[in-house]
Amino acid sequence: MAFKEVRFNIDLGGGATVKEAIVTIYRITNSKPEKIESCVVSEPVLNARLPVSDSGFFYAVAEIRRFAQDGNDFEVGSRTVQWISVFTNTSATVALSERVTTATAYCFARFLHIDNDKNLVLSDPHRTLRIAEAMKNNFVATDGTLSAVIQQSPNGLETNSYAMFNFLSNLLYYSLTTPDVYSQFTDLT
């Protein structure tokens, strides 16, 4: 089996940097995802060797445990804060950020669920994943680059799409950095 090196960048936003996170990488299948790798990281960059497969779809989840901001270290504690990114076997750089998580959650909502252990699980047939991946790229690319589609006409400031996307991304960021925002947000269910 062939392998390739993929670079993962954990971007917490707002000047926050990861100090400890568990990053787990999965291959997406029709049923239960196949775990490829899981490791604890203490910096925002991770390089991993991934198999190049016919299915071609993977996802990574970074469960944030500790982060630094403004010279101080913070524990996430009992909160579950996870960034997720779906990517293909052609990706060289994969961002795990609040924007990518927002776009992924929106575009892959039909395929996502949380198991009994609070793990994000994503699975579905190959064709529908291609459609969801194309939609995600209308918001943000796999490497974290914001798409011109969401920033410019007919979206941009002409509709509420870009504003709503930024609002949801900010909500994730503040759910990480502000425990009260997290508890108020998760109590809405």
Side-chain angles (χ1 to χ4, degrees):
M1 176 179 284
F3 289 87
K4 71 176 281 186
E5 189 86 12
V6 178
R7 179 184 179 99
F8 294 87
N9 294 323
I10 303 171
D11 180 2
L12 302 183
T17 56
V18 68
K19 287 296 189 179
E20 182 182 335
I22 299 172
V23 177
T24 307
I25 304 164
Y26 300 90
R27 181 191 338 247
I28 299 173
T29 68
N30 287 337
S31 57
K32 186 177 179 171
E34 175 189 343
K35 186 189 288 188
I36 302 295
E37 182 173 338
S38 186
C39 61
V40 176
V41 298
S42 58
E43 54 188 49
V45 176
L46 166 70
N47 292 311
R49 285 187 64 222
L50 302 181
V52 178
S53 68
D54 293 337
S55 70
F57 279 96
F58 299 85
Y59 71 99
V61 177
E63 183 174 335
I64 313 304
R65 297 286 177 91
R66 289 187 314 115
F67 65 96
Q69 188 171 34
D70 299 327
N72 298 306
D73 283 0
F74 299 94
E75 297 280 335
V76 173
S78 62
R79 295 176 289 147
T80 301
V81 179
Q82 298 175 332
W83 284 183
I84 183 171
S85 183
V86 173
F87 58 100
T88 66
N89 61 3
T90 61
S91 302
T93 302
V94 176
L96 290 154
S97 70
E98 74 281 11
R99 283 186 164 173
V100 173
T101 299
T102 299
T104 300
Y106 176 75
C107 296
F108 289 86
R110 179 174 169 235
F111 317 115
L112 283 169
H113 74 275
I114 298 174
D115 68 12
N116 294 335
D117 298 323
K118 295 184 180 181
N119 295 313
L120 288 167
V121 177
L122 193 151
S123 62
D124 202 68
H126 191 62
R127 180 183 159 331
T128 54
L129 291 174
R130 289 195 187 285
I131 296 167
E133 174 73 8
M135 280 299 300
K136 179 191 70 72
N137 290 334
N138 286 331
F139 290 97
V140 63
T142 301
D143 68 2
T145 305
L146 197 57
S147 169
V149 173
I150 193 68
Q151 294 181 79
Q152 300 173 358
S153 183
N155 295 304
L157 300 178
E158 297 172 25
T159 68
N160 66 356
S161 300
Y162 191 33
M164 183 60 72
F165 176 69
N166 283 327
F167 167 77
L168 293 171
S169 297
N170 286 334
L171 181 59
L172 288 178
Y173 166 77
Y174 286 110
S175 289
L176 169 68
T177 61
T178 311
D180 287 345
V181 171
Y182 176 89
S183 63
Q184 290 173 17
F185 177 56
T186 55
D187 285 345
L188 291 174
T189 57

